Amino acid sequence: MMKVPFLDLKAPYLELKQELDAAYKRVMESGWYILGQEVEAFETEFAAYCGVQYCVSVGNGLEALHLILRAMDIDQGDEVIVPANTYIATWLAVSHTGAIPIPVEPDEKTYNIDAEKIEAAITVKTKAILAVHLYGQPANMDLINEIAESHNLKVIEDAAQAHGAYYKGKRVGSLGDAAGFSFYPTKNLGALGDGGAVTTNDHQLADKISLLRNYGSPVKYFNEIKGFNSRLDELQAAFLRVKLRKLDKWNEHRTNIANQYIKALSTFKSLTLPHVPSWAKPVWHLFVVRHPKRSEFQKYLNNLEISTMIHYPVPPHLSDAYMREQNYGNFPITEKMAKDVLSLPISPHLTEQEVIRVIEQSLAGQVLREGEP
Ligand SMILES: *Cc1c(COP(=O)(O)O)cnc(C)c1O
């Protein structure tokens, strides 16, 4: 039986072995491992890729978001609007400043924050909207920016799952006041370790994040503010420069798979497929379907050695970490999603045969379901 892995992290290394090995050697032999030429070059290249003026690399995606909020002086007593259905890092970035994350339900079709529901969550304490481009699809940014402007709020993009996605012809990372990216190995642009970056057109904000990531120190041993240690390694920057050149091609491969899935699985009645609004060009970090009997369907595929995952089984407000703290209320759309979402394999190195196998077995699983009492 042909195994279909959810994601093969070794495949991009094998594709780019020569270039990645050369990058490794270049950094090793340079004798310079933190904040040097590779980091500087990657920042220039990634800013250009996103269509922004500045990129400041940091240690990981959580820190990218956390340092943006810090640089905006968001603090204890403040509130930040976040999606109820996101990876917990979005919420933690807010909590680590001392501010409180205020969850808003997603739109049932796009799974992104329902911009129509944001206004009702705004109070005098609200300082910012932290929108997530979940599963690789851009959020409804024009409406979010409009609401933010009328309430004098900052807009931050969590672009950790959406490197290269377009919203109305503009890249994510360029759509708000600042954006946070993650280069965790499984992301569309992944390092071979941890990494992250902030993109922005705001010169002052970029400068402040450069300070915050490096002990608040503009010059070694002179500290302007109380900073953190959150830097991208030279080695990871060198790897990311190699992989950045492949990102568009890899995203295109993901898109082809997504289009195949959507076309072939449209006859699968009990399966809800992802919806793409006309203004979005997603990069398919994940291909998330919904099934009323999710665990049976997952088990069925698993028995056929087709790996799937759940993003995410527990929404942040129901996690032990946040439950203990306060009652955030009920979020029925988010809670239902946690029970019925399932991510099918999608990645730049999934083969045509593997895609066909996922489709065929999924469709066969539909017949099995219908035969059940
Ligand atoms: C991965 C991810 C993060 C955090 O990135 P790390 O590099 O793992 O810290 C934040 N937000 C979202 C939506 C993510 O998927």
Side-chain angles (χ1 to χ4, degrees), residues 59-63 65 86-87 89-90 132 134 158 160-161 181-184 187 194-196 285 312:
N60 54 62
L62 170 60
E63 281 296 287
L65 297 170
T86 180
Y87 180 56
T90 315
V132 180
L134 198 68
D158 180 342
Q161 302 188 354
F181 286 88
S182 163
F183 306 123
Y184 185 73
K187 310 288 184 179
D194 275 311
H285 175 59
Y312 299 90

Side-chain angles (χ1 to χ4, degrees), residues 328-353:
Y328 285 85
N330 299 320
F331 297 89
I333 298 173
T334 298
E335 287 160 28
K336 185 157 182 292
M337 277 184 68
K339 290 198 174 74
D340 65 14
V341 290
L342 187 69
S343 306
L344 300 182
I346 192 163
S347 72
H349 298 90
L350 206 65
T351 65
E352 184 62 23
Q353 268 183 316

